[in-house]
């Protein structure tokens, strides 16, 4: 059996969380007209989140299950790192492209710390009638 140092496990969890980019507060299943509306609500909720467990309702089932299985200490550390590195503000959706299973969003934001512009691609899924985040990928504007 290979022993993986805790810091490596935590880094892997952070990478997973950042790839998924999770927000807080349970979201009603069908209350968003489109992926853009859902994602902007997610950004507000993300800013208010105080634990990764609050973010799970916003995430696609497959990612949610992986995160839920991680030890509490790793979830806590992953959440803290996610909040530290995702400081984007004034996020807006530039384009929404519907797909057979959800949507892809092109987004822009500004780093709160550096004031640099960032662009992102957000992959959303419609799961049991509700929007969920599959992946969030950003370039620029980071710390």
């Amino acid at each position: 059996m290979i022993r993986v140092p805790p810091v490596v496990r935590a880094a892997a969890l952070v990478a997973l969380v950042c790839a998924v980019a999770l927000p807080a507060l349970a979201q009603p299943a069908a209350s968003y007209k489109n992926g853009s509306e859902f994602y902007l609500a997610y950004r507000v909720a993300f800013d208010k989140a105080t634990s990764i467990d609050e973010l799970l309702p916003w995430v696609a089932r497959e990612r949610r299950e992986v995160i839920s299985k991680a030890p509490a200490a790793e979830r806590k550390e992953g959440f803290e790192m996610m909040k530290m590195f995702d400081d984007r503000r004034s996020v807006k959706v530039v384009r929404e492209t519907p797909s057979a299973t959800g949507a892809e969003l092109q987004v822009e934001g500004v780093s709160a710390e550096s004031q640099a512009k960032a662009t992102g691609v957000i992959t959303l899924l419609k799961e049991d009638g509700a929007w969920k985040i599959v992946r969030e990928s950003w370039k620029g504007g980071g710390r």
Side-chain angles (χ1 to χ4, degrees), residues 30-46:
S31 65
Y32 301 102
K33 297 177 204 168
N34 54 45
S36 297
E37 188 177 284
F38 165 81
Y39 184 70
L40 294 175
Y42 153 84
R43 292 304 306 186
V44 171
F46 174 83

Side-chain angles (χ1 to χ4, degrees), residues 10 13-14 17 73-83:
L13 181 61
V14 167
V17 170
E74 288 180 25
R75 288 195 313 269
K76 182 178 188 285
E77 186 174 347
F79 174 76
E80 290 168 355
M81 291 180 79
M82 182 178 71
K83 292 290 266 190

Side-chain angles (χ1 to χ4, degrees), residues 80-98:
E80 290 168 355
M81 291 180 79
M82 182 178 71
K83 292 290 266 190
M84 182 173 62
F85 287 108
D86 187 349
D87 73 338
R88 291 168 200 92
R89 302 294 177 254
S90 303
V91 173
K92 65 181 180 179
V93 177
V94 176
R95 181 176 57 230
E96 178 171 346
T97 306

Side-chain angles (χ1 to χ4, degrees), residues 7-65:
V7 71
V8 173
R9 285 195 316 262
L13 181 61
V14 167
L16 173 64
V17 170
C18 289
V20 176
L22 313 166
L25 311 172
Q27 52 102 10
S31 65
Y32 301 102
K33 297 177 204 168
N34 54 45
S36 297
E37 188 177 284
F38 165 81
Y39 184 70
L40 294 175
Y42 153 84
R43 292 304 306 186
V44 171
F46 174 83
D47 290 341
K48 294 177 182 177
T50 59
S51 82
I52 199 161
D53 294 327
E54 295 174 26
L55 307 178
L56 295 179
W58 295 82
V59 180
R61 182 179 298 115
E62 185 177 314
R63 302 280 185 177
R64 192 171 56 242
E65 289 171 358

